Amino acid sequence: MGLFDGLPVPKDKEYLRDDLENVDESWTVARFDSLPHVVHILTSKDRDGEIQALKDQSDIVEEVVDEVVQTYHGGFNRAIQNYSQILRLFSESTQSVGKLKVDLGNAKKVISARNKQLHQLWYRSMTLRHVISLLDQIENIAQVPARINKLIDENQLYAAVQVHVQSARMLEREGLQSVGALQDVRSELAKLRGVLFHKVLEALHAHLYNTGEYSSATPSMNEKDDAIPTTTIAAFSMNNSQSLSRRTRLQKGDSHVGASGFASSVDGGSSYDGHDDDDIHDAADNTGKDGKNIPRLPTWLSESTPDEFVETMRKSESPLHVKYLQTMVECLSMLDKVAAAGAIICQRLRPTIHEIITSKIKSQAEYVNSSRPGLGHSARTSTTDLQYVKGQLQKEKHKNGTSLAGSLMTVSPVTPVMAPMGAAQTAARELIDSVLDTIARIFDNHVVVGELIESKSYQQSHMNATKSVREISVSPDSEASQATGGYTIGFCMTVLRSECQQLICEILRATPEAASADAAVQTARLASKTPSKEKSEDGLTFAFRFTDATVSSQGADLIRQGRNRKGQNVQEGYGSASVLPEQGIYLAASVYRPVVQFTDKLALMLPQKYSQLGNDGLLAFLENFVKDHFLPTMFVDYRKGVQQAISSPAAFRPRANPVTAYMPSVSKGRPVLQGLLTIDFLAKEVLGWAQAMPKFAGDLVMHVQTFLERTYERCRASYTEAVLEKQSYMLIGRHDVDNLMRRDPASAFLPTSLAHANADSHTADAENDGVELEISGLLMKLRPIKQESLIRDNNKLILLASLSDSLEYIADSIERFGNTSAKASDQPEYDVKPTPVRHKRSGSVATKDLKSFAEEYRKLAIDCLKVLRVEMQLETVFNMQVMATREYLEDQDAEEPDDYIVSLITQITRRDEIIAPFIAPTKRNYVFGGISAVASHASIKALAEMKHINLFGVQQICRNTIALEQALSAIPSIDSDVVRTRLDHVRTYYELLNMPVEALLAFIAEHDSLFTAIQYYNLLKVQVPGREVPEDAKARMADILPI
């Protein structure tokens, strides 16, 4: 900023500012020295010019000064005038103060003369003011009972308690104790204290069990832990070392609240009526002005006097129902009724829980009956794969008239509704989910109230203590328990788990008679605050008496009626039979997972000092029940079912009247053997139990492996019985034959993952390697083949086909079992956080064993297909071995194929018809696909053993190949192009006999790779009437094709 920037130069003279800037700084310094300037002018060559420049600068400065003076002249005048007025006012004030001093001196003299009379008047006025205040308070106290009743009617319980406590304190004041007119008011307040206590207790009881006006919503128990509402309770504690629950630890700012906030107004002598109304209206106005920043006060506190608790409730972000529970406990604390309320809550806890469970089951039963008359709740569930298979198989009849579904249900130890995904399981799961969800939300409220009551009792019993006190004991029989009337979080958890255990026992048809008595004794002991010397490690002790695995609803009613007649001490049942289609021990599977989720949900709700309570009780009881009763019973039942399934005469009997075409789905008629279908059904059931109880999945999978192994042994025995002492069975056991069959491109059709890799690596080599020729040559060396070494019984062939398909079906199922087991092993047992380690299991060994079982089953299925393929090839060799011993010197043209060809065609056609419904088309291609190669090779090979053949004989052989080609091409699953190519090769070979030797040698020279050298040599070796063979023909052929 320049030195002259602040000068008031007008806009029309802005050039002055620029001229001032050109003035040298030496002229503007504070201490000006003129000597340098004079010397400069005197020594300058142009003195007149320098002097003229100084004059110009002087004119500019004078002009600027004129502008400044004109601008500030008016302001200078006004400042001088104002200063004159200020001096005048100071002079007048000095005179007035002097007069005031004189007047004060005179007043002091007058007042000192009347000092005694003034003191008496002041004391009298104070006395009258105090009397007026007492009369005011007496009048207000006389109206207190009516006001309390009005507040109770308006559900303003906290305001009513405030008024009651404040009025009681007023009546205890020294000036009001001797007023006789207030005796009636005192008695009414004493009665109203009891009324308020019961009103507060009823409201607290209703909201404890989520039946009150401000109760929380009903979130689903299966929601993730992140969606669980985090409640906040005000733990009014004087000792910061006390352990707090999750809610209290999250929001600790609500924990420092006083008992009441109206003592100051009473001591001050002011009327609380006007104070109450004014403050409430002011608070409402403030809330309305800035509703976004100031939380709104709950409606049940709208008439209350503002105090520390009310302000805390205003600022608290806890859910509405938690605020209400806090308010009711605060009311009990103000009434000094915490212990009495705790005792009453203890007495009513078990009957209320029992009534809630019973009413919930009853309402669910009424809903089911009204929505779907005559059907159970689970009848609306979707049908599972097993039930769908059962329904479809009811259409398939055996020879004896019974359905496959009926056989499956007969072998299964449980009825369809009791199956892992049956109606009873679904109904039990939904029922126990619903009940445990309700119990969990109730326990959530009890945790809030329990901590508040413990904190209040702790605060009251240690009000005057100055030293630190140790943490409240967890034992329900401790001093803390007595101070709360026996009501603690541990007591609530014990009772809730006891009721849940009894409900589960009713569902499982276990009668916990000892448990009922034990639970009643514990409840009575805790309610009466009787000291206890023993503590059960696992909660309640149950003595079970199990009935049948499945009991009808009517039978359950009769049992409950009989139990009720035993005495009045035992609680009646819950009526779960009205919702469940059946009851029994197998419902433990549907109960287990909800109990695990319920246990961990409760563990998250518990405060830190009660954390060990979450490790005992309901889950331990159910796990012991599963290990000691459910698993042994199930193992015995399913072992019997497996034995019955595989030992039945019809277990490995192919279906008598199958569908005409093969169906890949069992539901559409896939002819799986009844024994294997039953085993698959039982395995799926057992793995269904494993899926319901992942912790015990290892034992269940091992059980599945056991009866899969027994079934495999039975299948192996049936297979051995069908192929025993047969040449095809012995051939596939040879190492060289097995290697050739593995190299055969047709192995791609086999049901094994390794086959597909072989198909890719050997298909290109098979054309040049001649695997089929090697197999055919090996079979031809077995001639003569006897009929006794072949399987001529078509029933055995059907058995092998059906056994192969059934074994493949079981192998696929076992692989699915293994995949399911692997996925289950990687997942925690449930989705509630955190996940304890005890609920995870390792399924790698079980998965590996299941996969090995699948490979064993599939290998046996492949062996069945290999036997069938080799059997068809041997049958071809058996029929065509006659060709080598016959002389084809026919005397007429061929019209019909030879008898051995007719016999072979008939046999192949018949076997294709009977096998077609039992194996897939690709497997039929594998079974019958090797016939054309063997027939082709046998036909060409037969020429080497023939001595004579004429032209009609050649036509006869061509007629045989045409008939065989037509028969094989008629099989839909066989590639007709391959058959045509191979048998055309035979006709081409035999038609070469019709050529003269010279033409034959020319043909060989052009097509040297069409046949082998030996095959070409056999064409010259056989004698054909009318064909002359030169002596050098063989030598010439040797030159073309060296042998």
Side-chain angles (χ1 to χ4, degrees):
M1 176 181 288
L3 181 62
F4 308 105
D5 289 345
L7 294 179
V9 178
K11 293 182 179 181
D12 56 344
K13 295 184 178 182
E14 285 291 336
Y15 62 90
L16 294 176
R17 194 181 304 275
D18 297 334
D19 293 337
L20 287 176
E21 293 294 336
N22 295 328
V23 177
D24 190 78
E25 292 182 358
S26 60
W27 297 93
T28 61
V29 296
R31 298 180 63 182
F32 178 72
D33 187 6
S34 61
L35 180 61
H37 298 283
V38 173
V39 173
H40 176 70
I41 294 173
L42 293 176
T43 58
S44 177
K45 295 180 180 181
D46 188 9
R47 297 178 182 178
D48 296 333
E50 293 292 340
I51 294 172
Q52 185 62 37
L54 289 178
K55 288 181 179 181
D56 293 339
Q57 290 183 1
S58 175
D59 295 338
I60 292 171
V61 172
E62 288 178 358
E63 189 174 358
V64 172
V65 170
D66 291 341
E67 293 295 333
V68 173
V69 170
Q70 291 178 5
T71 301
Y72 290 106
H73 179 72
F76 289 156
N77 290 336
R78 286 193 297 271
I80 294 172
Q81 293 176 3
N82 291 338
Y83 182 72
S84 301
Q85 291 179 2
I86 290 173
L87 290 177
R88 181 177 56 80
L89 292 175
F90 269 108
S91 300
E92 294 176 357
S93 298
T94 302
Q95 297 175 1
S96 300
V97 169
K99 294 180 181 180
L100 181 60
K101 287 182 178 180
V102 174
D103 294 339
L104 288 175
N106 296 332
K108 182 178 179 181
K109 294 179 181 179
V110 175
I111 291 174
S112 59
R114 300 282 183 169
N115 186 21
K116 198 170 190 178
Q117 291 85 349
L118 288 175
H119 186 271
Q120 292 176 353
L121 292 174
W122 174 82
Y123 182 78
R124 184 179 179 184
S125 67
M126 291 297 296
T127 302
L128 292 175
R129 185 178 299 175
H130 183 66
V131 171
I132 292 172
S133 175
L134 290 177
L135 292 175
D136 228 7
Q137 294 177 11
I138 291 172
E139 182 180 0
N140 291 331
I141 290 175
Q143 300 175 0
V144 163
R147 187 180 178 196
I148 291 177
N149 288 325
K150 180 182 178 182
L151 291 174
I152 291 175
D153 295 339
E154 296 174 354
N155 199 21
Q156 297 288 329
L157 297 179
Y158 184 77
V161 172
Q162 276 185 320
V163 173
H164 182 278
V165 173
Q166 188 176 9
S167 302
R169 289 180 179 179
M170 286 185 177
L171 290 177
E172 296 299 325
R173 296 184 62 172
E174 182 178 357
L176 299 179
Q177 290 180 355
S178 60
V179 179
L182 296 177
Q183 294 299 326
D184 295 340
V185 176
R186 288 190 177 91
S187 62
E188 289 186 15
L189 287 178
K191 295 178 181 178
L192 286 175
R193 184 170 183 263
V195 172
L196 279 173
F197 170 67
H198 287 93
K199 288 288 185 181
V200 170
L201 186 62
E202 289 300 323
L204 179 62
H205 183 270
H207 287 77
L208 270 175
Y209 301 100
N210 294 317
T211 58
E213 180 181 357
Y214 305 102
S215 295
S216 62
T218 57
S220 174
M221 180 178 172
N222 294 326
E223 291 177 355
K224 293 185 178 179
D225 184 65
D226 296 340
I228 299 174
T230 305
T231 56
T232 307
I233 61 171
F236 310 124
S237 174
M238 297 176 62
N239 184 6
N240 292 332
S241 63
Q242 283 186 325
S243 61
L244 302 177
S245 70
R246 174 168 56 92
R247 299 162 187 77
T248 309
R249 292 193 298 269
L250 286 177
Q251 294 188 9
K252 217 170 180 180
D254 300 343
S255 60
H256 304 290
V257 182
S260 60
F262 37 77
S264 59
S265 62
V266 175
D267 295 338
S270 62
S271 173
Y272 53 82
D273 285 338
H275 177 68
D276 185 5
D277 296 336
D278 294 340
D279 286 350
I280 291 296
H281 289 306
D282 292 342
D285 294 339
N286 292 335
T287 304
K289 292 177 182 178
D290 192 8
K292 295 182 180 179
N293 298 327
I294 302 179
R296 191 173 296 277
L297 193 68
T299 55
W300 64 83
L301 294 176
S302 59
E303 298 295 330
S304 60
T305 302
D307 58 10
E308 190 175 356
F309 177 79
V310 173
E311 190 63 24
T312 301
M313 290 295 100
R314 184 195 303 276
K315 297 178 180 179
S316 175
E317 297 179 359
S318 302
L320 199 64
H321 71 284
V322 175
K323 291 183 180 180
Y324 193 83
L325 294 175
Q326 293 172 348
T327 304
M328 294 301 102
V329 175
E330 183 69 18
C331 291
L332 292 175
S333 176
M334 293 165 63
L335 293 173
D336 198 16
K337 288 285 189 176
V338 173
I344 295 177
I345 293 174
C346 287
Q347 294 173 359
R348 300 172 65 177
L349 179 58
R350 184 178 294 276
T352 304
I353 294 297
H354 189 278
E355 182 182 355
I356 288 174
I357 296 175
T358 305
S359 61
K360 191 169 189 64
I361 294 175
K362 186 181 297 183
S363 62
Q364 189 169 351
E366 292 176 354
Y367 169 75
V368 171
N369 294 332
S370 62
S371 60
R372 294 291 297 273
L375 292 177
H377 176 68
S378 300
R380 301 192 304 272
T381 59
S382 60
T383 59
T384 63
D385 293 340
L386 296 180
Q387 294 169 337
Y388 179 75
V389 170
K390 285 183 180 181
Q392 293 295 327
L393 290 180
Q394 286 178 351
K395 302 176 182 179
E396 305 293 338
K397 299 294 182 178
H398 290 296
K399 290 182 179 180
N400 55 8
T402 60
S403 66
L404 285 177
S407 301
L408 293 178
M409 289 184 288
T410 302
V411 174
S412 176
V414 295
T415 59
V417 295
M418 192 62 81
M421 298 299 291
Q425 298 289 341
T426 305
R429 188 182 307 109
E430 292 177 355
L431 174 62
I432 206 71
D433 267 337
S434 176
V435 171
L436 293 182
D437 181 32
T438 302
I439 297 298
R441 289 186 287 108
I442 291 174
F443 182 72
D444 195 7
N445 296 333
H446 277 284
V447 170
V448 175
V449 175
E451 283 197 299
L452 288 172
I453 287 182
E454 287 186 13
S455 177
K456 290 295 181 182
S457 61
Y458 179 87
Q459 191 177 30
Q460 291 177 0
S461 60
H462 297 79
M463 187 65 70
N464 298 325
T466 57
K467 61 180 180 178
S468 62
V469 184
R470 291 184 302 173
E471 193 180 50
I472 298 177
S473 175
V474 178
S475 173
D477 300 317
S478 62
E479 295 180 0
S481 176
Q482 296 178 7
T484 59
Y487 177 72
T488 62
I489 296 176
F491 171 81
C492 294
M493 191 168 188
T494 301
V495 174
L496 294 178
R497 289 193 308 201
S498 172
E499 289 297 319
C500 294
Q501 285 173 338
Q502 294 189 46
L503 173 63
I504 292 173
C505 288
E506 179 178 295
I507 293 174
L508 303 181
R509 298 307 306 132
T511 56
E513 297 175 354
S516 299
D518 185 29
V521 169
Q522 286 195 27
T523 305
R525 174 174 53 78
L526 293 171
S528 60
K529 297 177 286 186
T530 303
S532 174
K533 298 180 180 180
E534 298 180 356
K535 180 181 178 183
S536 175
E537 183 178 356
D538 294 330
L540 302 179
T541 303
F542 278 74
F544 296 100
R545 184 179 71 242
F546 296 99
T547 59
D548 295 336
T550 56
V551 184
S552 64
S553 301
Q554 182 178 2
D557 294 336
L558 294 176
I559 291 175
R560 282 199 304 276
Q561 292 174 7
R563 191 192 310 171
N564 292 339
R565 289 194 292 268
K566 292 181 181 179
Q568 298 295 330
N569 294 330
V570 182
Q571 282 185 320
E572 61 181 6
Y574 299 92
S576 59
S578 61
V579 179
L580 303 178
E582 288 186 12
Q583 293 176 317
I585 190 174
Y586 279 93
L587 291 180
S590 60
V591 172
Y592 179 76
R593 189 179 295 269
V595 169
V596 172
Q597 296 175 347
F598 173 74
T599 300
D600 289 319
K601 203 174 186 67
L602 261 59
L604 292 176
M605 298 177 184
L606 284 173
Q608 185 64 31
K609 64 179 180 180
Y610 291 100
S611 59
Q612 68 269 25
L613 293 179
N615 300 328
D616 303 331
L618 193 60
L619 181 59
F621 147 72
L622 189 59
E623 289 181 349
N624 292 332
F625 170 77
V626 172
K627 289 187 293 186
D628 299 338
H629 299 281
F630 175 72
L631 292 181
T633 301
M634 190 194 68
F635 290 163
V636 172
D637 291 344
Y638 277 91
R639 190 180 298 114
K640 292 179 181 178
V642 170
Q643 184 62 29
Q644 180 181 351
I646 63 179
S647 62
S648 172
F652 291 89
R653 183 187 303 159
R655 195 170 303 179
N657 298 313
V659 292
T660 56
Y662 176 82
M663 293 296 177
S665 174
V666 174
S667 60
K668 295 181 180 180
R670 182 173 182 175
V672 181
L673 291 173
Q674 179 183 341
L676 295 181
L677 187 63
T678 304
I679 294 300
D680 177 67
F681 173 76
L682 294 177
K684 286 179 180 178
E685 274 197 347
V686 175
L687 291 173
W689 305 125
Q691 187 176 5
M693 299 178 294
K695 184 175 182 180
F696 306 97
D699 297 334
L700 294 169
V701 171
M702 289 179 61
H703 184 60
V704 171
Q705 294 171 7
T706 300
F707 64 72
L708 284 178
E709 184 176 2
R710 297 183 61 184
T711 304
Y712 176 78
E713 294 174 356
R714 179 67 178 85
C715 293
R716 188 78 188 180
S718 179
Y719 162 76
T720 304
E721 182 181 355
V723 300
L724 186 63
E725 298 182 355
K726 302 301 179 182
Q727 197 163 8
S728 56
Y729 171 63
M730 292 183 286
L731 276 175
I732 66 171
R734 287 170 50 175
H735 182 68
D736 55 342
V737 176
D738 183 65
N739 286 336
L740 287 174
M741 297 190 76
R742 287 178 180 272
R743 293 167 52 198
D744 191 350
S747 62
F749 299 114
L750 293 177
T752 175
S753 57
L754 187 60
H756 298 285
N758 291 340
D760 295 336
S761 61
H762 293 296
T763 300
D765 298 336
E767 298 177 358
N768 301 324
D769 198 20
V771 177
E772 294 178 347
L773 291 178
E774 292 185 38
I775 294 176
S776 300
L778 190 147
L779 295 177
M780 294 296 292
K781 293 179 182 179
L782 300 176
R783 295 178 303 173
I785 297 176
K786 297 181 181 181
Q787 185 173 356
E788 294 78 11
S789 63
L790 300 178
I791 303 176
R792 305 308 294 265
D793 187 357
N794 289 337
N795 292 327
K796 290 185 178 181
L797 297 176
I798 294 174
L799 174 62
L800 290 174
S802 180
L803 184 62
S804 173
D805 184 68
S806 301
L807 287 169
E808 183 182 355
Y809 173 79
I810 296 297
D812 292 339
S813 294
I814 294 174
E815 283 188 345
R816 287 193 294 270
F817 300 161
N819 294 334
T820 304
S821 177
K823 291 179 181 179
S825 66
D826 295 335
Q827 296 294 332
E829 182 175 336
Y830 48 89
D831 294 332
V832 180
K833 298 182 289 186
T835 304
V837 177
R838 68 177 186 273
H839 295 309
K840 295 192 72 175
R841 61 178 179 85
S842 175
S844 58
V845 177
T847 304
K848 180 179 178 181
D849 291 342
L850 286 176
K851 288 183 178 179
S852 63
F853 272 109
E855 291 299 325
E856 291 294 329
Y857 273 81
R858 188 169 283 112
K859 185 177 181 301
L860 185 56
I862 292 172
D863 288 344
C864 292
L865 292 176
K866 286 182 177 180
V867 167
L868 289 174
R869 179 180 175 89
V870 174
E871 190 65 32
M872 298 304 168
Q873 292 173 332
L874 289 175
E875 185 70 31
T876 303
V877 175
F878 171 75
N879 284 276
M880 297 191 69
Q881 65 186 359
V882 182
M883 182 179 178
T885 59
R886 178 181 172 184
E887 293 185 355
Y888 281 89
L889 299 175
E890 304 293 336
D891 56 357
Q892 60 181 359
D893 193 6
E895 296 181 358
E896 296 293 336
D898 287 330
D899 294 338
Y900 67 89
I901 294 295
V902 174
S903 176
L904 177 61
I905 292 174
T906 304
Q907 194 80 346
I908 292 173
T909 305
R910 174 59 182 162
R911 289 183 177 183
D912 177 63
E913 291 177 355
I914 61 176
I915 291 178
F918 294 96
I919 57 176
T922 55
K923 309 303 185 298
R924 286 171 63 195
N925 190 1
Y926 179 77
V927 171
F928 295 97
I931 295 177
S932 60
V934 173
S936 173
H937 183 71
S939 299
I940 296 175
K941 184 74 173 177
L943 185 63
E945 301 176 4
M946 292 182 186
K947 296 181 179 179
H948 304 279
I949 184 172
N950 60 9
L951 298 181
F952 288 114
V954 172
Q955 293 181 2
Q956 182 66 46
I957 292 175
C958 292
R959 183 68 186 90
N960 292 342
T961 57
I962 292 174
L964 186 59
E965 177 186 340
Q966 292 175 349
L968 293 177
S969 299
I971 299 177
S973 58
I974 296 181
D975 189 352
S976 59
D977 293 335
V978 175
V979 173
R980 186 180 303 108
T981 301
R982 288 171 178 168
L983 296 181
D984 283 346
H985 191 67
V986 175
R987 288 195 295 271
T988 301
Y989 181 72
Y990 276 91
E991 287 175 353
L992 292 177
L993 295 173
N994 297 330
M995 292 183 180
V997 175
E998 296 296 333
L1000 177 61
L1001 293 175
F1003 180 84
I1004 293 173
E1006 295 178 1
H1007 304 86
D1008 56 344
S1009 61
L1010 185 59
F1011 299 98
T1012 64
I1014 296 177
Q1015 291 173 353
Y1016 278 125
Y1017 179 78
N1018 291 332
L1019 291 174
L1020 295 178
K1021 181 181 177 182
V1022 67
Q1023 296 181 10
V1024 180
R1027 186 185 69 170
E1028 295 181 1
V1029 180
E1031 294 180 358
D1032 61 344
K1034 295 181 180 180
R1036 292 168 60 186
M1037 181 180 291
D1039 294 337
I1040 300 173
L1041 293 174
I1043 301 177

